[in-house]
Amino acid sequence: MDYKTDQYFRKLYQEAEQCRAEQSVNKAALSSILGGFQEKKSDRPPEIIETKELPQYRRERFLFHYTDDRQGPVYVLTPKNGASRHPVVLALHGHGYGSREIAGLKENGEEADENSGIHRHFASLLASRGFKVFAPEIIGFGDRRLEEDKFHSRPKSCYKMAAQLLSVGKTLAGLRVQEARLLLDDVAAFSDVHEIRPGIMGFSGGGLIAAYTAALDERIQAAVLSGFVNTYQESLWPMEHCLDNYVPGLLHYAELPAFIGLMAPRPLFIESGRMDPVFPFKGAEQAVGMLRDIYETRQAAGQLEWDPFDGAHEVRGVRAVEWLSENLSSN
């Protein structure tokens, strides 16, 4: 017997569409639905945990203090190109074993093969091309899992964290965006970084954080979103994603591309794999079309670039790194 369960949930999406004409998509709305995070920034400076010299860059791991009761490790990769100051990129990993996955390391801390895995160690790639890269351990992954999840060797703490935050009117996406923005406060204190605004690059779940951070924080000069840009209708709504992707009330305002488009007219680069099963290419095409309309409306059509490639859910990085060089070169 058909109990019309699927039909009910399709109707919910349609009802959300009908509500959107009455709403205004703006930074205040995005900040509100992500949940209020008002903790004061910690005054404690970053502390070096470890250092390793590599042929093309120096890899340091710092302990950054976001708030007085929240801290986390961050890989800082500094190129060895003779420059006294470097353009900065904040690099945000997706689901996996944490910041080591983009900083050139295996999960056990050993050196990894170049460009291995779906992340392609893109923080290392950026550092080898002249960027000073800050790659934080995103809360819920790696060393920043809940202690119980570490004890039981669970790969992430996203569901429990997201559920608990939702219970008090906050979101895990909002917490991660807050930490990214607090990290930017500390980045400016490094003596070898350019004073002009940094770039940001995120893959998959890191792309979500990068998108919302760039939308809300004008310090971000250019953003690369890899394996993320899509629509709720084609990806997050019909498929089972990690709970950290969901923001209550978002669809009553607009489809996902409208929130990403809050970054306009600043430069935005998008990577999409044609065989991506997580963020399907059909949805990526639709989302990019919506974003092109937004950028054209802001008279910034030339500031949006899309790189569709023959791949799955993975970073490509080839054109993206070149694009960042072009858009951060004025630094």
Side-chain angles (χ1 to χ4, degrees), residues 173-291:
L175 178 60
R176 290 169 172 171
V177 168
Q178 185 218 29
E179 290 193 348
R181 299 183 72 182
L182 292 175
L183 178 57
L184 288 174
D185 294 340
D186 282 330
V187 165
F190 282 72
S191 62
D192 60 346
V193 304
H194 284 293
E195 297 178 358
I196 301 178
R197 297 169 296 171
I200 195 167
M201 180 172 178
F203 168 64
S204 192
L208 179 150
I209 304 165
Y212 292 155
T213 300
L216 293 173
D217 202 313
E218 294 285 341
R219 289 176 292 181
I220 299 296
Q221 180 171 327
V224 173
L225 307 181
S226 180
F228 168 68
V229 173
N230 220 275
T231 65
Y232 255 80
Q233 187 174 26
E234 294 298 329
S235 178
L236 295 169
W237 188 267
M239 302 169 64
E240 185 173 328
H241 283 260
C242 183
L243 188 58
D244 60 6
N245 283 280
Y246 299 94
V247 178
L250 184 143
L251 281 177
H252 283 283
Y253 283 90
E255 253 287 3
L256 181 58
F259 288 94
I260 299 172
L262 291 172
M263 186 185 175
R266 287 168 289 153
L268 173 60
F269 186 93
I270 298 166
E271 285 189 342
S272 305
R274 290 189 174 90
M275 295 171 285
D276 191 334
V278 184
F279 291 94
F281 193 72
K282 178 182 177 182
E285 282 187 304
Q286 294 173 352
V288 170
M290 296 177 193
L291 283 163

Side-chain angles (χ1 to χ4, degrees), residues 58-79:
R58 181 175 65 255
R59 183 176 63 224
E60 298 170 293
R61 203 177 199 212
F62 282 79
L63 182 66
F64 276 71
H65 300 273
Y66 298 108
T67 65
D68 288 338
D69 59 358
R70 209 162 2 107
Q71 59 190 21
V74 178
Y75 279 110
V76 180
L77 281 53
T78 305

Side-chain angles (χ1 to χ4, degrees), residues 32 69 73 87 105-107 148 164 205 226 233 254-255 268 314:
S32 176
D69 59 358
L105 296 166
K106 297 178 182 179
E107 187 172 2
E148 180 185 1
Q164 291 174 347
S226 180
Q233 187 174 26
E255 253 287 3
L268 173 60
E314 57 191 307

